[in-house]
Amino acid sequence: MHPSLANIGAYIKTNTLALAPAARAAGTVQGPAIDVPPFRSAVLAVAVGAAAGTPTSFTATFTFESRGSTAGDEGAPGPWATVVDRDGQTLTVVASSVDGAVELDLDLSFMGDDHDQLRVKQVLAFTGGTTPTLLTGGVLVLGGSNRLPV
């Protein structure tokens, strides 16, 4: 049996926290900057936990943003840009139920040629409730490296 079938863990990196688990109120939050070279693909795996404050519904929308770590003035990081596919569509996944999970696949070639950092953006909206919050967190699984992850 080929090692990629019996030992998938040797071919992917799964310990990259894209969005720290936390109870979040409505609004926008971005995860930390993640250096993605030498990888070629990624999967965002988001876990959605309990909602507090009795909202009648919610939507948690997840997208990617990228930038060059030295693309700005005097080698400073450049501005963040929304990652889009080859058709110009924003890569998006929406969670709308508690105690579930969603995932979003990413071909890292969709990032700009001079972009080497990635982050996750979450936009959370509620309907109803009294100061509602939602527990969310995400991991970025990286793969397609030209060398095995450490």
Side-chain angles (χ1 to χ4, degrees), residues 15-128:
N15 63 344
T16 305
L17 192 58
L19 195 62
R24 295 184 170 86
T28 301
V29 63
Q30 287 95 356
I34 300 168
D35 292 321
V36 292
F39 300 98
R40 294 189 183 109
S41 65
V43 177
L44 173 65
V46 175
V48 179
T54 62
T56 55
S57 66
F58 70 87
T59 57
T61 304
F62 300 90
T63 57
F64 293 112
E65 296 178 323
S66 69
R67 72 176 179 187
S69 60
T70 58
D73 294 337
E74 299 181 21
W80 289 101
T82 301
V83 177
V84 297
D85 65 16
R86 286 183 177 79
D87 295 325
Q89 301 298 310
T90 301
L91 300 169
T92 304
V93 67
V94 177
S96 58
S97 61
V98 298
D99 298 330
V102 295
E103 70 177 32
L104 180 57
D105 297 337
L106 173 61
D107 177 340
L108 292 176
S109 72
F110 294 163
M111 295 170 48
D113 289 339
D114 61 345
H115 287 199
D116 58 355
Q117 291 186 329
L118 184 72
R119 72 178 179 187
V120 172
K121 177 180 174 183
Q122 174 188 281
V123 178
L124 185 55
F126 293 98
T127 302

